[in-house]
Amino acid sequence: MTSSGSRGLLVAVVLLSVLCVALIIGLIVIGVDRSELKDKMAAQGLYSNGKNDWRVTPRTPSVFDTFSEAEIREIKNFMHNQASLNLVPISEATLSSNYIFLIDPLLPPKYDVLSHLSGDRQAPDRRARVTVFKGASTPPTVEEYVVWPIPNVNMFALLNNSAQTKQIPWNSRPMDPVEMTALEKFVRPILGKLRPLLEQSYGYWYGDDCGDKCLRIAYIPRGIESGDRKAIIWFFRNNVDGYYVWPTSLRLLVTCGTNDPNQFVLDSVYYEGISHRTAEEVLDIYITTRQREIRKYPFPPGGATHGSPEARDKKEPQGSPKRPPMQVEPDGRRFQVDGQHVKYMDWEFNFRLRTVNGLQLMDVRFRGERIAYEVSMSDVAVLYSGDAPEGILIQYVDAGFSLGALHFPVVKGYDCPDNAVYFNNTFFDSVSGDAKTHADALCLFEHNTALPVRRHHSMNFFPLQPDLEDPYYYRFSMAGTVLVLRGIATVWNYDYVFDYVFHPNGVIETKVSSTGYIQAFTTRDDSKYGFYIDRDFGITGNLHHHLFNFKIDFDIGGQRNLFETWDLKLDETQRNELIRGRNVAMKQRYMERNLRRTEREALIDYNFNEPKYYVMYNERTNNSNGYPRGYRIYSPNFSKKLFPDGWYFENGVSWARHQLVVTRYKDDEDTSATLWTQGDPYRPVRKFSNFYEDNQAIVNEDLVVWACIGLHHIPVAEDVPVTTTPGKQLSVILAPLNFFDEDPSMTSRDAVVHRYRDEN
């Protein structure tokens, strides 16, 4: 090689080395920049650093914060150290033990919270409600305690709630693993006796050797009347997809209102539509004397059929092989999260997930002004019908199953968009007796609804007129973007998708959509209560009524609000100036404002023949036109239960008697729901109708709206395997009404105006 060639090679090597070093430095710089960017985004709530729990990011503590696992364990340990309570861990408990069933946040009094938010005082202590089942007492009872401060707990006391009309009775408590274990031991020998019948009838039985042919047991606590406690026990085919739609025709009714399982009593055995007193009686009729022929059911088919969620085997798969559209944020997220506090455009609010009731918004503000102190889910009821005992007796009040604890992990990219922020659900688990976390149980995301918030196309509608000036022809539109906070509760078979939706024009929606499996029943013949979903197995889907109760605690311009209806009526006027020489009787609508002065005057029963606006406002603050600033409460899904008021279990859902109820705020009337209504709805511990029985004045007071929406569902073939959300989406809409001087979204950068002159 020549010297010049060597020099050239050397230069090339040096240049390559310099380039490599530069590239390495560049990658390091890029890595550092990306790291710094992620840290900055995390500080702004725009990036989670791979962690999805609001408690692990730097944040500003809030009086509305729910509990961490460490705080739950601190509360539990503190209570276990109180010798007077004689508590044992739930894993060691029997029905005659004292043990903790629930630890849930308990908000301080509203006045104390508002004084803190206004800067007048320090944050009040965070508190917990601790529910204790005291099976060791004589008689056994249930007690609730308030525990504070959190963290650094050192105080507790009995919780006295004026909204609860009586001591919590032992028979009204929710079913828990301690009672389930006792019931399973009680029914096991009964099912052992029935094995010859069960094997021949279903091919399933219950015992240590049932393998993949085991019956699955379900329990519902419910007395037939106030003061008693009976468990309705029914059975499903196990090891099959969607077992909810594979019930058997066997039911047991067991009296279990004592803390001694030795005193449980079998009331009846219900098989194939006939009630029997004992298992021996059933065996005598079907096995020994063969007075009746055993109905033999085929074994459930395997594969993607009936209850299975798997795609069905089709020659040509449905739809396109291309992936569905996805939602993107081209410039990054437009909302910030600080702990459980969210800022989005003009909106600002706190959120909580309560173990019993579910999702709750607190201190909801628009442009810094509080609209509502609270907007929340309060209770859910599902009222069934049917031929079988469970159709007649089972009416679900879902707060009794701890609705908030049933928010399980969502499916990313399907339940929520890929770009959502996810939050955990941390709560006291009554099964393990310890803190538990469901990861990614809530999601928060901005959503393009693909429906413009507002738009218009200016045009010359009367072409014979001279054209207007070009500058006055235009078209404008504004993209429909909203922020959605979503949680999905799975209450055994049903799934409820709860959404809180924030619109750019000051509108809030509370939404719920139903999906999941229907609860299936059995019948021997065609039924007026529903349709067969599998005639060979005698399985039906029975009609039922879903009802949802929402709480809206408005604070419009403060805590001195009024509620009125704007009633639309018809008047008739003789108007001869329209056509001279002829009197014309004209009918037209007019608005009549009707101030509701007392709580009973504010009980609203929706009537299509009497259309109304429902308005909450503050007469001390006006918009520029001199009208009081307010909000309208509207729903296309108002619903009412059909049972007569006061009849049987109806007292437990008295919040469903009226579509809207307005009451004066009381700290103790924090929710329409309790854990205890499911167990005793006949004389409930907290009866919602008592909230307005005192008929207090509601003029210029701190007011709360309770809204009831719902739908009737008659299951049909298309509800198998699961019922779908289209047509089952319900909402309550809170819309500004003279609250602003014009549409507040007019300041948004999301709008566009095209002038025709600019396009030519």
Side-chain angles (χ1 to χ4, degrees):
M1 182 179 292
T2 64
S3 59
S4 61
S6 300
R7 285 195 298 270
L9 179 60
L10 179 61
V11 170
V13 170
V14 170
L15 287 174
L16 182 59
S17 300
V18 170
L19 286 173
C20 289
V21 171
L23 180 60
I24 293 171
I25 294 173
L27 290 173
I28 293 173
V29 170
I30 291 172
V32 172
D33 288 344
R34 285 179 61 84
S35 178
E36 290 178 354
L37 178 62
K38 288 180 179 180
D39 290 340
K40 289 179 181 178
M41 293 175 69
Q44 300 173 36
L46 300 176
Y47 182 77
S48 67
N49 282 329
K51 297 181 179 180
N52 52 12
D53 189 348
W54 60 76
R55 300 180 189 86
V56 301
T57 58
R59 63 181 180 82
T60 306
S62 167
V63 68
F64 301 119
D65 286 352
T66 49
F67 299 147
S68 66
E69 287 192 2
E71 288 171 333
I72 291 172
R73 292 190 178 109
E74 180 190 1
I75 297 165
K76 182 186 75 170
N77 293 337
F78 171 80
M79 294 298 283
H80 273 268
N81 288 333
Q82 308 309 309
S84 61
L85 297 178
N86 191 27
L87 297 175
V88 301
I90 196 169
S91 59
E92 302 173 11
T94 66
L95 285 176
S96 58
S97 303
N98 295 349
Y99 56 93
I100 295 174
F101 175 76
L102 180 70
I103 298 173
D104 206 25
L106 180 66
L107 275 176
K110 180 179 178 180
Y111 174 81
D112 294 343
V113 176
L114 292 180
S115 296
H116 160 63
L117 294 176
S118 65
D120 293 338
R121 63 187 299 178
Q122 291 182 333
D125 291 332
R126 291 164 65 224
R127 308 181 302 166
R129 177 184 9 239
V130 179
T131 303
V132 176
F133 291 175
K134 304 192 77 172
S137 299
T138 305
T141 187
V142 176
E143 288 184 346
E144 292 180 312
Y145 297 89
V146 56
V147 180
W148 78 98
I150 299 164
N152 304 317
V153 178
N154 57 45
M155 300 287 289
F156 81 107
L158 274 173
L159 178 63
N160 295 312
N161 191 307
S162 62
Q164 298 184 172
T165 59
K166 60 181 181 179
Q167 171 67 37
I168 302 168
W170 177 252
N171 69 282
S172 68
R173 72 195 189 285
M175 184 76 70
D176 70 358
V178 176
E179 187 175 25
M180 290 182 197
T181 299
L183 279 168
E184 194 275 340
K185 290 181 180 178
F186 178 79
V187 303
R188 178 180 281 265
I190 298 170
L191 296 174
K193 293 176 183 178
L194 292 173
R195 175 170 175 169
L197 176 65
L198 300 178
E199 280 194 83
Q200 292 185 52
S201 188
Y202 312 119
Y204 286 83
W205 64 95
Y206 193 82
D208 295 333
D209 62 343
C210 54
D212 62 355
K213 305 291 180 61
C214 283
L215 290 172
R216 181 184 291 263
I217 305 178
Y219 310 87
I220 291 293
R222 168 63 57 77
I224 305 302
E225 59 185 20
S226 182
D228 66 5
R229 183 177 183 84
K230 298 181 186 295
I232 301 169
I233 306 173
W234 75 107
F235 305 89
F236 296 80
R237 296 162 173 89
N238 202 4
N239 291 313
V240 59
D241 282 340
Y243 72 89
Y244 321 93
V245 291
W246 287 106
T248 69
S249 56
L250 175 69
R251 318 281 186 274
L252 303 180
L253 185 65
V254 177
T255 295
C256 54
T258 173
N259 61 351
D260 181 3
N262 294 320
Q263 297 182 28
F264 287 0
V265 176
L266 176 65
D267 290 334
S268 63
V269 179
Y270 188 86
Y271 172 71
E272 283 296 301
I274 301 173
S275 181
H276 306 275
R277 181 67 185 85
T278 64
E280 288 80 4
E281 180 182 310
V282 180
L283 290 173
D284 182 65
I285 292 173
Y286 287 93
I287 301 295
T288 305
T289 65
R290 298 192 178 275
Q291 297 174 36
R292 295 194 186 98
E293 183 179 352
I294 298 174
R295 181 175 179 181
K296 298 181 179 180
Y297 294 92
F299 204 75
T305 181
H306 203 41
S308 171
E310 301 297 335
R312 303 312 189 232
D313 183 17
K314 299 290 184 181
K315 293 182 180 179
E316 295 183 6
Q318 180 186 10
S320 169
K322 297 180 180 178
R323 290 175 294 177
M326 294 181 64
Q327 203 158 269
V328 298
E329 296 162 310
D331 300 314
R333 294 196 181 108
R334 304 200 297 177
F335 60 88
Q336 296 85 42
V337 179
D338 179 10
Q340 293 170 241
H341 183 79
V342 177
K343 288 184 178 181
Y344 168 69
M345 305 299 187
D346 292 321
W347 288 105
E348 189 173 352
F349 61 91
N350 291 271
F351 68 91
R352 296 155 51 90
L353 187 53
R354 299 168 296 171
T355 304
V356 175
N357 305 83
L359 266 174
Q360 179 185 39
L361 304 181
M362 301 300 302
D363 195 23
V364 181
R365 304 185 184 213
F366 190 86
R367 294 183 177 174
E369 185 172 2
R370 184 178 300 112
I371 304 298
Y373 179 69
E374 177 183 353
V375 180
S376 64
M377 180 72 246
S378 193
D379 206 354
V380 179
V382 191
L383 311 180
Y384 279 91
S385 299
D387 299 290
E390 70 271 26
I392 301 169
L393 297 176
I394 291 177
Q395 313 298 332
Y396 295 115
V397 187
D398 285 343
F401 301 98
S402 295
L403 195 63
L406 299 174
H407 283 65
F408 297 97
V410 298
V411 182
K412 294 182 179 181
Y414 294 85
D415 293 333
C416 307
D418 282 314
N419 59 339
V421 176
Y422 294 88
F423 305 100
N424 292 351
N425 176 17
T426 298
F427 58 96
F428 180 82
D429 177 33
S430 61
V431 175
S432 65
D434 197 5
K436 186 172 184 177
T437 296
H438 292 319
D440 305 330
L442 300 178
C443 62
L444 181 71
F445 57 93
E446 190 176 10
H447 172 58
N448 189 325
T449 66
L451 179 69
V453 174
R454 49 182 166 80
R455 62 95 58 199
H456 181 65
H457 181 106
S458 177
M459 62 177 294
N460 184 357
F461 201 65
F462 306 98
L464 296 181
Q465 286 184 308
D467 284 342
L468 299 175
E469 294 290 332
D470 280 348
Y472 301 102
Y473 282 89
Y474 51 82
R475 53 182 174 169
F476 66 83
S477 184
M478 178 175 172
T481 55
V482 297
L483 185 72
V484 180
L485 175 65
R486 172 171 294 170
I488 304 177
T490 302
V491 190
W492 192 39
N493 58 311
Y494 260 110
D495 298 72
Y496 298 119
V497 182
F498 294 106
D499 289 344
Y500 292 95
V501 184
F502 298 85
H503 294 260
N505 59 343
V507 170
I508 310 171
E509 281 187 89
T510 65
K511 299 178 66 176
V512 58
S513 306
S514 297
T515 180
Y517 286 90
I518 62 171
Q519 180 172 318
F521 298 80
T522 58
T523 186
R524 302 179 68 179
D525 304 297
D526 285 293
S527 172
K528 63 182 178 181
Y529 301 108
F531 295 99
Y532 279 116
I533 60 173
D534 194 309
R535 188 178 291 271
D536 291 339
F537 288 86
I539 298 173
T540 62
N542 287 9
L543 65 90
H544 53 280
H545 191 185
H546 294 273
L547 289 162
F548 305 89
N549 190 225
F550 288 93
K551 177 185 179 183
I552 305 111
D553 178 6
F554 281 111
D555 279 359
I556 299 173
Q559 288 74 57
R560 297 175 66 84
N561 290 171
L562 300 94
F563 175 72
E564 67 182 24
T565 58
W566 295 0
D567 302 354
L568 301 181
K569 298 187 175 183
L570 287 176
D571 66 4
E572 183 173 315
T573 307
Q574 297 291 330
R575 304 297 296 270
N576 59 9
E577 69 271 19
L578 294 177
I579 304 177
R580 292 191 177 277
R582 184 184 302 175
N583 284 336
V584 180
M586 300 297 297
K587 291 183 183 293
Q588 57 184 338
R589 289 161 294 172
Y590 70 96
M591 179 186 69
E592 180 180 275
R593 294 177 60 176
N594 183 359
L595 177 65
R596 306 300 175 112
R597 298 183 176 275
T598 67
E599 289 175 323
R600 289 189 180 179
E601 286 183 10
L603 301 176
I604 302 298
D605 297 319
Y606 186 78
N607 185 343
F608 277 105
N609 295 319
E610 299 177 359
K612 293 175 173 62
Y613 265 36
Y614 307 107
V615 180
M616 188 73 70
Y617 68 97
N618 188 321
E619 65 179 354
R620 289 172 171 76
T621 173
N622 298 337
N623 68 3
S624 62
N625 291 314
Y627 295 121
R629 303 171 71 214
Y631 258 72
R632 179 191 178 196
I633 307 106
Y634 167 73
S635 176
N637 309 115
F638 284 137
S639 190
K640 179 182 179 179
K641 48 82 194 165
L642 299 179
F643 301 115
D645 293 354
W647 176 79
Y648 205 37
F649 54 76
E650 187 277 337
N651 282 325
V653 291
S654 58
W655 48 262
R657 292 177 183 175
H658 310 281
Q659 287 68 65
L660 285 180
V661 174
V662 179
T663 62
R664 190 191 292 190
Y665 178 88
K666 296 184 181 71
D667 283 317
D668 282 349
E669 295 176 354
D670 55 338
T671 174
S672 60
T674 72
L675 282 168
W676 327 114
T677 307
Q678 173 66 30
D680 186 354
Y682 315 105
R683 291 183 60 247
V685 170
R686 178 178 300 195
K687 186 178 180 182
F688 177 77
S689 58
N690 290 341
F691 287 20
Y692 54 80
E693 285 297 328
D694 53 1
N695 200 29
Q696 289 186 300
I698 58 171
V699 176
N700 286 318
E701 298 289 349
D702 190 357
L703 302 183
V704 178
V705 175
W706 308 84
C708 178
I709 58 176
L711 63 92
H712 294 278
H713 185 193
I714 303 175
V716 293
E718 288 77 13
D719 286 301
V720 177
V722 296
T723 185
T724 50
T725 57
K728 302 180 185 69
Q729 300 175 353
L730 314 175
S731 65
V732 178
I733 299 164
L734 312 177
L737 186 144
N738 288 325
F739 192 90
F740 303 101
D741 293 336
E742 65 174 356
D743 174 9
S745 72
M746 291 303 298
T747 62
S748 175
R749 294 178 179 176
D750 292 349
V752 64
V753 178
H754 290 294
R755 299 277 180 179
Y756 289 175
R757 65 178 180 182
D758 298 331
E759 297 178 357
N760 294 332

